[in-house]
Amino acid sequence: MRDLILRGLHLPGKIHRRLGLWFATLWHRATLGKVGAGSLFQPGIRFADPVRVTIGAGCYVWRGVAASAEGGDGGFAHW
């Protein structure tokens, strides 16, 4: 019973994190130059020049990251 109560208490936090991950991923897919399939973004990530940034497939970009493209075609490629 105690475990069930503890799981119920953690549920709002889990929902909040999932929604944040979902919205952040949608935002970055719309604003970055190119994002590969299956890449996810945590909230709180910013890019200095987003249209020049390329993120490959299956990448997971953590909160607190600040990245920018340097040169003509910068990116984190894993296609």
Side-chain angles (χ1 to χ4, degrees), residues 2-70:
R2 181 174 181 261
D3 289 338
L4 185 61
I5 292 171
L6 288 176
R7 282 188 211 158
L9 291 175
H10 291 288
L11 188 61
K14 289 180 180 180
I15 292 171
H16 183 264
R17 281 189 297 278
R18 292 276 173 119
L19 286 174
L21 183 69
W22 185 71
F23 281 119
T25 298
L26 284 178
W27 172 259
H28 288 300
R29 285 190 180 281
T31 59
L32 294 178
K34 186 175 182 182
V35 178
S39 291
L40 299 173
F41 298 85
Q42 286 188 344
I45 300 165
R46 52 179 194 143
F47 295 93
D49 193 2
V51 295
R52 294 178 58 197
V53 175
T54 301
I55 305 290
C59 296
Y60 189 64
V61 185
W62 290 83
R63 176 185 6 243
V65 170
S68 64
E70 295 179 8

